[in-house]
Amino acid sequence: MKEDCIFCKIIKGDIPSFTIYEDKLFKVILDRFPAVPGHALIIPKEHYKDIFELPEEVAQALYPLAKEMATRIKLAVDAEGMNIVQNNGEVAGQSVYHFHLHLVPRKAGDGITLNKSANSATTLEELEAVLKCIQAVK
């Protein structure tokens, strides 16, 4: 736990939250400033800054829980779809440096824009170069 972390304070109960689910690894809460009704956060109870610090066992438990919570939220708010978003680092939009996964229920015309691309096209050669770089990392 980090004393200056808002999510650690929520986990400890120092800050109230609207808890959807809780187990030994995670707390799932409604986002205090939701993009849409039903927007929730899955937060590990231990403090990990981002996905790069997340232990393998926590990572393995995350997506089964995300699927269950996304399904429940989708049904509860009658959503047509769901964005599952997780940001790592300031340039990626991370603003709270305690790993968390956003579940954002979606409906047609809700005005949310998460799928914008900075690049309109990539050549096959550029894709091949990136692939080789990734494959070289072990």
Side-chain angles (χ1 to χ4, degrees):
M1 294 280 185
K2 287 187 70 174
E3 291 299 318
D4 61 343
C5 173
I6 190 167
F7 288 164
C8 287
K9 291 177 182 177
I10 289 170
I11 298 297
K12 287 184 352 187
D14 294 344
I15 296 175
S17 64
F18 292 89
T19 302
I20 298 170
Y21 173 86
E22 188 169 0
D23 64 20
K24 65 181 181 167
L25 292 177
F26 300 102
K27 186 168 188 146
V28 183
I29 64 170
L30 290 175
D31 192 304
R32 178 63 181 86
F33 301 100
V36 293
H39 178 175
L41 305 173
I42 300 177
I43 308 168
K45 288 188 170 179
E46 294 296 320
H47 184 91
Y48 309 108
K49 183 176 95 172
D50 54 29
I51 197 167
F52 307 109
E53 290 186 0
L54 201 65
E56 187 68 26
E57 63 274 6
V58 176
Q60 287 178 359
L62 179 63
Y63 258 82
L65 177 60
K67 181 181 185 232
E68 178 186 342
M69 294 294 105
T71 301
R72 288 175 55 185
I73 293 166
K74 183 177 182 278
L75 291 170
V77 300
D78 196 30
E80 299 167 44
M82 180 77 59
N83 284 113
I84 299 176
V85 181
Q86 199 278 310
N87 304 317
N88 297 282
E90 183 178 352
V91 299
Q94 186 176 10
S95 59
V96 177
Y97 292 91
H98 181 129
F99 178 95
H100 56 288
L101 187 77
H102 291 262
L103 303 174
V104 184
R106 301 298 303 276
K107 294 181 181 179
D110 63 16
I112 305 294
T113 55
L114 298 175
N115 299 323
K116 296 284 183 187
S117 175
N119 297 322
S120 59
T122 300
T123 67
L124 296 178
E125 292 78 16
E126 290 169 324
L127 290 172
E128 182 71 28
V130 171
L131 174 64
K132 287 180 181 178
C133 288
I134 293 170
Q135 289 173 332
V137 176
K138 300 291 180 198

